[in-house]
Structure formats: C-alpha cells, structure tokens
Amino acid sequence: MTTATLEEKNTRTGAFAFIGALAMLGMGYAAVPLYDLFCRVTGFGGTTQKATESDADIAARLAQSGATRTMSIRFDASTARDVPWSFSPEQVTDTVQIGQRDLAFYTARNDSGVPITGTATFNVEPEQTGKYFNKIQCFCFTEQTLQPGESIRMPVLYYVDPAILDDENAKDVEQITLSYTFHKATNVAENPTP
C-alpha cells in the first residue's frame, strides 16, 4: 500500500467521522423540540392539549348531547427551589361535567425583595388522560413577572374532551390531577425592571 493511498483512506475516514459527529450533534439539538412536539401531539407523559375556542364549543355541544358524566379535577402547585414565590390553587379539587368548560384559579406571590419572572410547566396525571385535558387559556402560556411582594390571581380555562369516554385506558379514570411548577424564566435579565 502506498503512502498516498493510506493518506486518502485516513482523510476519507476522518471526513466520515467528522460528518458523523456533526450529525450526532444535530440530533442532540433536535431531540428536545422533537420530543416536546411528540408529547404535545400524543399526550404522552401527561402533556395536556392546547385547545381553541371552537374546539371547546364542539366539546360542549357533544357534552350537551348526552355525556352527563362528571370528573374530579385535582389542582397542584409547586415552585422550583430558586423561585421564592408562594404558589397555590384557590381550590384543591373541583367536579366538572365532561365536555363543559370550567375555570380554575391559582394565586402566586413574590416573597422576595427583587422582581422575578417565572414560567410554569405543567403535567396531567394519570398520563393517559393528558390528551383529553384541553386548556383554552392558561397563565402557563406566557411568562409571569411579579414585583417584590406582588400577588397575582391566574386563571386556567379548560375542559375534558368527551372522547375520554371512548378510550379503554382512560374511560374509568375518576380523577385527573393538573399540576404546575413555576421556574425562573431563562430568557430574561436577572433583575428585570418594572
């Protein structure tokens, strides 16, 4: 084997290794948004669905056409360690008619001496009900900035899709838990101005 042939093979192997490394890096960056998209589409991991007003109107009409079953909704709230807020639901449980819109409220208060911007992540349990729990309006869709000592009352407008009654894995569920956790927003300055 000549030196030129060996150098060509080494160059080709190096190029393939470099391309492979770039592909792996690209897949690493794409994994999080693709997984998030997968969860939102399928309801995997208890990810709730974001509904439109027209979706809610359709669900309400379906509920009025004969679905009279109710569902207990349990509300849960927590904060990350670096968010010095008091955060809780105004009521711990509510009973709603499947397909009917309902409104729940959470309250938050900034217990620190500096403004803090937070964003809420959410989850639904049991997992198989996530694709049937639809939020029309929610404080979790936007960041919330609270000044020192400021309190806020935040609504969640939601409904449980009547299609849950046709799902063998979810139709016998009697209670759904909607859980929120507030984290510091990562795309804002450490101390935003009021």
Side-chain angles (χ1 to χ4, degrees):
M1 193 180 292
T2 67
T3 305
T5 306
L6 185 58
E7 286 180 18
E8 288 174 5
K9 284 186 177 184
N10 287 343
T11 302
R12 192 171 39 229
T13 301
F16 284 133
F18 181 72
I19 290 170
L22 282 179
M24 296 291 277
L25 181 65
M27 288 180 5
Y29 278 104
V32 172
L34 289 176
Y35 182 74
D36 182 57
L37 177 64
F38 171 77
C39 289
R40 290 187 187 282
V41 169
T42 64
F44 182 76
T47 303
T48 63
Q49 303 299 303
K50 184 176 179 181
T52 64
E53 289 286 338
S54 61
D55 292 337
D57 291 338
I58 292 168
R61 282 195 300 279
L62 287 172
Q64 290 171 349
S65 68
T68 58
R69 182 158 163 230
T70 60
M71 178 75 65
S72 173
I73 308 296
R74 183 178 165 276
F75 303 100
D76 183 50
S78 63
T79 59
R81 292 178 196 232
D82 63 344
V83 179
W85 288 5
S86 299
F87 175 53
S88 63
E90 286 189 353
Q91 67 183 75
V92 177
T93 60
D94 192 13
T95 301
V96 300
Q97 183 175 345
I98 293 177
Q100 291 292 317
R101 285 184 256 187
D102 201 35
L103 189 61
F105 287 93
Y106 282 75
T107 58
R109 184 183 71 241
N110 182 351
D111 297 326
S112 76
V114 296
I116 295 178
T117 299
T119 185
T121 58
F122 54 87
N123 196 14
V124 170
E125 290 291 333
E127 287 183 18
Q128 69 268 28
T129 62
K131 63 184 172 183
Y132 303 110
F133 195 93
N134 293 275
K135 293 184 291 184
I136 300 165
Q137 294 176 355
C138 181
F139 61 88
C140 62
F141 297 158
T142 59
E143 293 176 345
Q144 306 296 322
T145 299
L146 296 180
Q147 300 302 314
E150 181 182 7
S151 294
I152 188 171
R153 188 172 186 236
M154 302 173 291
V156 179
L157 181 60
Y158 69 93
Y159 69 93
V160 178
D161 192 325
I164 195 171
L165 301 172
D166 299 325
D167 186 332
E168 287 298 319
N169 295 321
K171 71 179 183 180
D172 295 327
V173 171
E174 295 178 3
Q175 185 175 65
I176 295 175
T177 300
L178 176 61
S179 180
Y180 289 98
T181 302
F182 257 104
H183 303 271
K184 273 191 179 176
T186 57
N187 61 347
V188 295
E190 190 65 30
N191 292 316
T193 56

